[in-house]
Amino acid sequence: MTHAVIRVEQLGKTVTDSTGVLAILQDVSFSLAPKETAAIVGASGSGKSTLLSIMAGLDTPTSGEVFWGEQNLFALDEDARAQLRARSMGFVFQSFQLLGHLSALENVMLPLELTGHANPKREAQEMLARVGLASRLSHYPKVLSGGEQQRVALARAFVLKPSMLMADEPTGSLDHATGETIMGLMLEMNRELATTLVLVTHDEALAARMDRRLHLQAGRLIEGGTDL
């Protein structure tokens, strides 16, 4: 039996506002195997980004648990979760989230430097070449196109060879053709590095390219769940 890279067990998230208690996620359960790809889909407000944030340990659930391998994520304090993310997870965002005062090379070097790699410059150069940006190493985000910025973000996400990659609307800020190119590159790199990929998307064509489709409706998983 293949051990799950990540298990989500009976996850719930509620918030309280002036109107009362709002259930954002309700009893969500599924698991993902090594190398598996999954799309989290659903209407706006269905809980997709909240689920991704909890899976990454960036937000906390009201009930339920998340396991990375055998590690209960929320048995760790915030600092320990951050250290685990740094070792095991890459992120790609709709808005790229590059540091504007750093060059493309420096943006990709940063996670390597933070985790103590011996030769971060060489590794970052190799990864930027892999995403087709060998000639843009010294360029800053403001002079890069949206597609180029997302390539830098992909290089930064994959440079540590994470066991999991999480992406929130990774093509949402790009035109269709550029988005197709970026997704093809992401999936190609994902296969090469045997990463488990989870992405939030409104794009049904993109979701169809994943191994799994996790469909949320009003905070409940109505398709693609796993009995645990």
Side-chain angles (χ1 to χ4, degrees):
M1 178 179 176
T2 301
H3 291 290
V5 171
I6 189 166
R7 300 195 327 271
V8 174
E9 298 187 353
Q10 297 180 307
L11 205 66
K13 177 71 174 182
T14 60
V15 296
T16 303
D17 61 16
S18 59
T19 63
V21 178
L22 174 65
I24 299 175
L25 295 172
Q26 302 179 68
D27 197 28
V28 174
S29 295
F30 62 90
S31 63
L32 296 173
K35 306 180 187 180
E36 194 167 17
T37 62
I40 302 173
V41 301
S44 295
S46 60
K48 302 186 300 298
S49 292
T50 298
L51 175 57
L52 195 73
S53 292
I54 293 174
M55 291 170 65
L58 296 168
D59 193 2
T60 56
T62 307
S63 59
E65 295 174 313
V66 176
F67 290 87
W68 290 7
E70 297 305 312
Q71 176 62 63
N72 184 337
L73 190 56
F74 296 103
L76 302 174
D77 63 24
E78 191 171 339
D79 287 343
R81 290 199 300 272
Q83 291 171 9
L84 185 58
R85 274 195 300 274
R87 295 194 305 270
S88 305
M89 184 174 290
F91 294 92
V92 179
F93 303 95
Q94 178 177 346
S95 56
F96 317 132
Q97 300 284 3
L98 301 178
L99 296 177
H101 65 287
L102 299 181
S103 67
L105 180 61
E106 290 165 340
N107 265 283
V108 180
M109 285 174 60
L110 185 60
L112 293 163
E113 291 171 334
L114 292 174
T115 49
H117 280 240
N119 197 334
K121 185 175 182 179
R122 178 178 54 80
E123 292 184 52
Q125 287 173 328
E126 290 174 355
M127 187 57 72
L128 282 163
R130 173 64 187 82
V131 300
L133 292 178
S135 64
R136 308 287 271 173
L137 302 182
S138 63
H139 289 66
Y140 289 84
K142 66 181 179 181
V143 299
L144 298 174
S145 69
E148 287 172 332
Q149 289 186 65
Q150 198 62 299
R151 287 172 184 265
V152 175
L154 284 182
R156 181 183 60 188
F158 279 112
V159 75
L160 290 175
K161 300 178 175 59
S163 59
M164 284 184 284
L165 181 71
M166 295 197 176
D168 195 352
E169 297 284 1
T171 61
S173 295
L174 306 173
D175 64 75
H176 178 74
T178 304
E180 284 288 303
T181 300
I182 290 296
M183 274 316 305
L185 180 59
M186 179 184 290
L187 291 171
E188 187 178 308
M189 293 176 68
N190 194 71
R191 287 190 295 270
E192 287 177 11
L193 297 175
T195 303
T196 298
L197 170 64
V198 187
L199 62 85
V200 166
T201 185
H202 284 97
D203 185 338
E204 288 292 339
L206 175 54
R209 298 173 71 176
M210 303 295 108
D211 299 326
R212 295 268 298 283
R213 186 176 184 277
L214 304 169
H215 188 179
L216 287 176
Q217 186 175 87
R220 291 188 179 277
L221 189 58
I222 63 170
E223 178 188 344
T226 303
D227 293 330
L228 298 171

